Amino acid sequence: MTPEERRRLLGDDVIADIHHQVARALAEAPPSPELLARLRPILTRPAGRTTAAADRAA
């Protein structure tokens, strides 16, 4: 997936939130298990939806 496709699929707000959460995780040394647990679904299912659900919404 290209950055342009990702931006079109997720939107600027979701991408900005992902960047914020990742930057916060990297600022901790090491990241807490709670933070990693919060990041995992963000990175695996951005915007809380699957690709199929996003395709149907488009």
Side-chain angles (χ1 to χ4, degrees), residues 6-53:
R6 189 176 305 112
R7 184 167 304 280
R8 189 176 63 243
L9 178 67
L10 299 176
D12 291 334
D13 291 340
V14 171
I15 291 173
D17 184 56
I18 291 169
H19 287 201
H20 172 77
Q21 295 290 337
V22 171
R24 182 172 165 229
L26 295 176
E28 294 184 21
S32 69
E34 293 82 15
L35 182 56
L36 291 175
R38 282 191 24 227
L39 286 176
R40 190 168 288 114
I42 291 170
L43 296 174
T44 57
R45 291 183 48 211
R49 57 188 175 186
T50 64
T51 303

